[in-house]
Amino acid sequence: MNKKYTLQEAFHFAFDGFRYALQTQRNLRIQLIAGIVVILLSTFLPMERIEWVVIFVLIALVIVAEILNTAIEKTIDLIVTEYNPLAKTIKDLSAAAVLFIAITSVIVGLIIYLPKFSALLK
């Protein structure tokens, strides 16, 4: 029978996972810092509510993708002890998902911010 965890325990486990990811994943730290910088810079720009929503959602998607990538890589490492081309493909696909959302975020960021910076320079 599965043990039922309290809400407090569930949050504790989630924060443990996030802490682990922050401590061990350089790319997550970089992405989190980039997200914080974007948010801070945005406070000095005329941002519409929908732009804020898009920025926060994209930052969250990149961070979630990186955490899921880490979980997938750790699962593969747990299961596969020797080099396996399928394991490599799974890890590569997981990393590609992070790359894709990160590139998408940069493109959307350029669409949002270029006109704002252009207006500031005029």
Side-chain angles (χ1 to χ4, degrees), residues 51-63 101 105:
E51 292 171 326
W52 278 110
V53 169
V54 168
I55 294 302
F56 275 100
V57 167
L58 287 172
I59 290 168
L61 285 173
V62 170
I63 290 169
I101 190 62
S105 297

CSV table of all heavy atoms in Angstrom, one decimal, residues 51-63 101 105:
chain,number,residue,atom,x,y,z
A,51,GLU,N,2.1,40.7,-21.8
A,51,GLU,CA,3.5,40.5,-21.9
A,51,GLU,C,4.2,39.9,-20.7
A,51,GLU,O,5.0,39.0,-20.7
A,51,GLU,CB,4.2,41.8,-22.3
A,51,GLU,CG,3.8,42.3,-23.7
A,51,GLU,CD,4.3,43.7,-24.0
A,51,GLU,OE1,4.4,44.6,-23.1
A,51,GLU,OE2,4.6,43.9,-25.2
A,52,TRP,N,3.7,40.4,-19.5
A,52,TRP,CA,4.2,39.9,-18.3
A,52,TRP,C,3.8,38.4,-18.2
A,52,TRP,O,4.7,37.6,-17.7
A,52,TRP,CB,3.6,40.6,-17.1
A,52,TRP,CG,4.3,41.9,-16.7
A,52,TRP,CD1,3.9,43.2,-16.9
A,52,TRP,CD2,5.6,42.0,-16.2
A,52,TRP,NE1,4.8,44.1,-16.5
A,52,TRP,CE2,5.9,43.4,-16.0
A,52,TRP,CE3,6.6,41.1,-15.8
A,52,TRP,CZ2,7.1,43.9,-15.5
A,52,TRP,CZ3,7.8,41.6,-15.3
A,52,TRP,CH2,8.1,43.0,-15.1
A,53,VAL,N,2.6,38.1,-18.5
A,53,VAL,CA,2.2,36.7,-18.4
A,53,VAL,C,3.0,35.8,-19.4
A,53,VAL,O,3.5,34.8,-18.9
A,53,VAL,CB,0.7,36.6,-18.8
A,53,VAL,CG1,0.3,35.1,-19.0
A,53,VAL,CG2,-0.2,37.3,-17.8
A,54,VAL,N,3.2,36.3,-20.6
A,54,VAL,CA,4.1,35.5,-21.5
A,54,VAL,C,5.5,35.3,-21.0
A,54,VAL,O,6.0,34.2,-21.0
A,54,VAL,CB,4.1,36.2,-22.9
A,54,VAL,CG1,5.1,35.6,-23.8
A,54,VAL,CG2,2.7,36.1,-23.6
A,55,ILE,N,6.1,36.3,-20.5
A,55,ILE,CA,7.4,36.3,-19.9
A,55,ILE,C,7.5,35.3,-18.8
A,55,ILE,O,8.4,34.4,-18.7
A,55,ILE,CB,7.9,37.6,-19.5
A,55,ILE,CG1,8.1,38.6,-20.7
A,55,ILE,CG2,9.3,37.5,-18.7
A,55,ILE,CD1,9.0,38.1,-21.8
A,56,PHE,N,6.6,35.4,-17.8
A,56,PHE,CA,6.6,34.4,-16.7
A,56,PHE,C,6.3,33.0,-17.1
A,56,PHE,O,7.0,32.1,-16.6
A,56,PHE,CB,5.6,34.9,-15.6
A,56,PHE,CG,6.1,35.9,-14.7
A,56,PHE,CD1,5.8,37.2,-14.8
A,56,PHE,CD2,7.0,35.5,-13.6
A,56,PHE,CE1,6.3,38.2,-13.9
A,56,PHE,CE2,7.5,36.5,-12.7
A,56,PHE,CZ,7.2,37.8,-12.9
A,57,VAL,N,5.4,32.8,-18.0
A,57,VAL,CA,5.1,31.4,-18.5
A,57,VAL,C,6.4,30.9,-19.2
A,57,VAL,O,6.7,29.7,-19.0
A,57,VAL,CB,3.9,31.4,-19.4
A,57,VAL,CG1,3.8,30.1,-20.2
A,57,VAL,CG2,2.6,31.7,-18.6
A,58,LEU,N,7.0,31.6,-20.0
A,58,LEU,CA,8.2,31.1,-20.7
A,58,LEU,C,9.3,30.8,-19.8
A,58,LEU,O,10.0,29.8,-19.9
A,58,LEU,CB,8.6,32.1,-21.8
A,58,LEU,CG,7.7,32.2,-23.1
A,58,LEU,CD1,8.1,33.3,-24.0
A,58,LEU,CD2,7.8,30.8,-23.8
A,59,ILE,N,9.6,31.7,-18.8
A,59,ILE,CA,10.6,31.4,-17.8
A,59,ILE,C,10.3,30.1,-17.1
A,59,ILE,O,11.1,29.3,-16.9
A,59,ILE,CB,10.7,32.6,-16.8
A,59,ILE,CG1,11.4,33.8,-17.5
A,59,ILE,CG2,11.6,32.2,-15.6
A,59,ILE,CD1,11.3,35.1,-16.7
A,60,ALA,N,9.0,30.0,-16.7
A,60,ALA,CA,8.6,28.7,-16.0
A,60,ALA,C,8.8,27.5,-16.9
A,60,ALA,O,9.3,26.5,-16.4
A,60,ALA,CB,7.2,28.8,-15.5
A,61,LEU,N,8.4,27.6,-18.2
A,61,LEU,CA,8.6,26.5,-19.1
A,61,LEU,C,10.0,26.1,-19.2
A,61,LEU,O,10.3,24.9,-19.2
A,61,LEU,CB,8.0,26.8,-20.4
A,61,LEU,CG,6.5,26.8,-20.5
A,61,LEU,CD1,6.0,27.3,-21.9
A,61,LEU,CD2,5.9,25.4,-20.3
A,62,VAL,N,10.9,27.0,-19.3
A,62,VAL,CA,12.4,26.7,-19.5
A,62,VAL,C,12.9,26.0,-18.2
A,62,VAL,O,13.5,25.0,-18.3
A,62,VAL,CB,13.2,28.0,-19.8
A,62,VAL,CG1,14.7,27.7,-19.6
A,62,VAL,CG2,12.9,28.5,-21.1
A,63,ILE,N,12.5,26.5,-17.0
A,63,ILE,CA,12.9,25.9,-15.8
A,63,ILE,C,12.3,24.5,-15.6
A,63,ILE,O,13.0,23.6,-15.2
A,63,ILE,CB,12.6,26.9,-14.6
A,63,ILE,CG1,13.5,28.1,-14.7
A,63,ILE,CG2,12.8,26.1,-13.3
A,63,ILE,CD1,13.1,29.2,-13.8
A,101,ILE,N,12.6,25.0,-26.1
A,101,ILE,CA,11.9,26.0,-25.4
A,101,ILE,C,12.7,27.2,-25.1
A,101,ILE,O,12.2,28.4,-25.0
A,101,ILE,CB,11.2,25.4,-24.1
A,101,ILE,CG1,10.2,26.4,-23.5
A,101,ILE,CG2,12.2,25.0,-23.1
A,101,ILE,CD1,9.0,26.8,-24.4
A,105,SER,N,11.9,30.9,-26.3
A,105,SER,CA,11.8,32.0,-25.3
A,105,SER,C,12.6,33.2,-25.8
A,105,SER,O,12.2,34.4,-25.6
A,105,SER,CB,12.3,31.5,-24.0
A,105,SER,OG,11.4,30.5,-23.5
